[in-house]
Amino acid sequence: MRRMGWVCAVLLVVLVGTSLERAGDLGAADPAGASVPASAHDSFTVTRAMTMNDPTRHRGTIARQLRTYIEHTPSGATISILSFYLSSSITWPALRAAYQRGVHVRAVLYGGPAGTPMAGVSSEGVKLAELIRQGRDHGRRGSWVVWTRRTARGVDATGTVMHAKVWQFSRVGRTRKVTMIGSYNNGDPPDARAYSAMVTLTDPRLYADAQSMFVAAAKDRRDGRNPQRRFSGDGWDLYYFPSTPITPENDPVLERLQSIPGNADTRMVISMYSMQGRRGAWLARRLAAMVERGAHLTLVVGPDVSGSVVRTLGRAGATLEDGCWRTGRKRSPYAYTHDKEMTATWVADGVRHHAAWIGSDDWGNGSGGSQSDQATIGLYSTWAYQRLTRLLAPQIAHEPDRLGRCDPL
């Protein structure tokens, strides 16, 4: 892969080898007496939501949402974090307070080529690991941090990473089994620079399926011959990478695009940080064929979308929007899309359908996409389509559209 954005930053930092906790009790049950209390005084509830971090107008929105959920997680409940890194000054105080009041905090974080704590990137992750280590010294159990060596469930090739972004809460206020999935890296730098989204759902089956992948990732070893996994439920489907190999025959994104008619009744919006390599090419060819048959496509071109993809879609007649803009700010000179999101509406058998997809999968076959840990969910509802369409609108409305290159770091 030509450039991997945040991954490049990760691979350049100095690895810090202290405060590693390998979670010897990964499969252990919560300690006796740690059941979730009734918490009748906490009337807070969670409903479905979709949120976008907008670095130009509403930075930190997702971090504050996470903070609220963490603050309403009662003692004895569990927070499960599958994240590239943790470096948010907004969520860290809430996580620390939650652990101190008896919440179990379990995290699987990227640990670089050596699988060790990365203070230069995952600064709050290192603090969390140290906090948990101190608790274990005093007999506290039920919390842990795993630093993966490159991927969690795949082949540890050069440049592969634990890139998924999934937060789960066994209970928030009065609501049980809360799952958040999306493209948001939890940190102050992405809050300041990157558009990214998360969807929050309270589906028990989704919670269980995502938990199964969290447990597998915490083992930090290859999960079968091909670790690609798929799940589905009422109004949603979900896939997890790595996929080794990734081919046109097993690519869930190509399967998605082939299921959508390529005609004038179809409208698609894609905001994509990275689209390149062989996989990016076959997806671009399918999209181009759909556009040439009358479908309307708007693509927000992120910093790592290859020139060949831009040319293929531009020649077909797609609307191309700039996904990297100068801000005029000294400390964060660029704002850019870190989204890997898509909306679509189409007609099949005389019925109009609506869908939205949100997750961490960059559309490439390299280390930033199919070879690394990813999670992407498809939502088949008018609500999801309309909500994500509204959240993507500021990126599409931004002018001018020069499609200039930028370094988001």
Side-chain angles (χ1 to χ4, degrees):
M1 180 177 178
R2 180 171 44 83
R3 184 173 73 236
M4 293 175 57
W6 291 108
V7 179
C8 296
V10 170
L11 297 178
L12 290 174
V13 299
V14 177
L15 301 182
V16 180
T18 59
S19 71
L20 173 63
E21 182 176 1
R22 274 291 174 182
D25 60 339
L26 291 183
D30 290 341
S35 60
V36 178
S39 300
H41 64 281
D42 191 345
S43 60
F44 185 85
T45 58
V46 176
T47 58
R48 68 180 183 181
M50 193 180 295
T51 312
M52 178 77 73
N53 181 72
D54 182 337
T56 64
R57 298 184 302 171
H58 306 295
R59 66 170 66 180
T61 300
I62 297 173
R64 290 191 294 274
Q65 179 187 12
L66 283 166
R67 180 178 64 190
T68 298
Y69 291 171
I70 295 166
E71 289 173 344
H72 287 276
T73 302
S75 175
T78 300
I79 300 173
S80 304
I81 305 167
L82 189 66
S83 183
F84 190 6
Y85 56 81
L86 300 178
S87 66
S88 170
S89 62
I90 296 173
T91 56
W92 163 243
L95 272 177
R96 179 179 58 206
Y99 177 78
Q100 290 171 340
R101 70 172 173 270
V103 175
H104 306 299
V105 182
R106 301 170 178 177
V108 178
L109 307 173
Y110 174 62
T116 55
M118 305 190 72
V121 171
S122 198
S123 54
E124 314 308 336
V126 171
K127 292 178 183 177
L128 176 63
E130 176 60 19
L131 181 68
I132 292 171
R133 186 197 65 77
Q134 293 174 9
R136 290 175 69 87
D137 287 347
H138 291 85
R140 176 82 180 268
R141 295 293 184 268
S143 296
W144 39 260
V145 175
V146 169
W147 300 90
T148 69
R149 181 180 180 273
R150 301 192 188 276
T151 67
R153 299 175 45 253
V155 179
D156 291 329
T158 300
T160 58
V161 298
M162 209 307 295
H163 191 250
K165 301 98 169 52
V166 183
W167 289 63
Q168 293 190 275
F169 302 79
S170 65
R171 180 168 174 174
V172 180
R174 299 176 62 183
T175 307
R176 298 180 184 274
K177 302 185 185 308
V178 176
T179 301
M180 296 179 69
I181 298 175
S183 57
Y184 172 66
N185 284 322
N186 180 234
D188 294 341
D191 282 354
R193 302 167 187 164
Y195 283 92
S196 54
M198 295 288 277
V199 63
T200 303
L201 300 167
T202 59
D203 185 300
R205 181 168 179 174
L206 172 62
Y207 184 91
D209 290 336
Q211 269 289 297
S212 73
M213 291 291 92
F214 178 76
V215 171
K219 296 175 182 177
D220 192 20
R221 62 172 181 259
R222 189 173 181 177
D223 186 15
R225 186 178 183 89
N226 188 342
Q228 183 185 142
R229 299 287 182 270
R230 301 199 196 188
F231 306 92
S232 61
D234 184 13
W236 58 268
D237 55 33
L238 173 67
Y239 68 85
Y240 276 75
F241 283 171
S243 183
T244 48
I246 187 74
T247 68
E249 288 71 34
N250 71 4
D251 185 347
V253 178
L254 184 59
E255 181 180 303
R256 174 201 313 173
L257 297 178
Q258 290 172 336
S259 71
I260 299 173
N263 57 43
D265 289 322
T266 295
R267 300 185 68 85
M268 299 173 289
V269 173
I270 301 169
S271 183
M272 185 58 54
Y273 172 79
S274 178
M275 186 175 178
Q276 35 63 38
R278 294 181 296 106
R279 184 183 180 213
W282 72 57
L283 294 175
R285 288 194 296 269
R286 169 58 187 171
L287 287 167
M290 296 172 75
V291 173
E292 288 167 351
R293 292 199 295 268
H296 185 273
L297 168 64
T298 298
L299 173 67
V300 180
V301 180
D304 197 35
V305 175
S306 72
S308 62
V309 166
V310 171
R311 290 189 293 272
T312 296
L313 295 177
R315 286 195 297 263
T319 301
L320 302 177
E321 302 282 348
D322 204 338
C324 196
W325 316 276
R326 289 189 177 275
T327 64
R329 299 193 299 258
K330 186 175 182 179
R331 295 189 64 180
S332 50
Y334 292 101
Y336 62 95
T337 181
H338 188 255
D339 285 319
K340 302 90 168 56
E341 272 70 82
M342 174 178 172
T343 65
T345 180
W346 67 95
V347 174
D349 299 325
V351 177
R352 178 156 293 280
H353 298 263
H354 299 85
W357 293 266
I358 182 170
S360 65
D361 177 27
D362 286 311
W363 288 2
N365 55 281
S367 53
S370 62
Q371 293 184 35
S372 293
D373 297 273
Q374 315 288 359
T376 292
I377 189 167
L379 302 170
Y380 302 92
S381 70
T382 303
W383 169 81
Y385 171 82
Q386 292 179 342
R387 178 62 178 163
L388 186 53
T389 296
R390 189 158 54 248
L391 292 174
L392 292 174
Q395 298 178 42
I396 297 170
H398 185 275
E399 297 290 346
D401 290 315
R402 300 190 178 113
L403 300 183
R405 307 304 302 173
C406 75
D407 182 352
L409 300 182

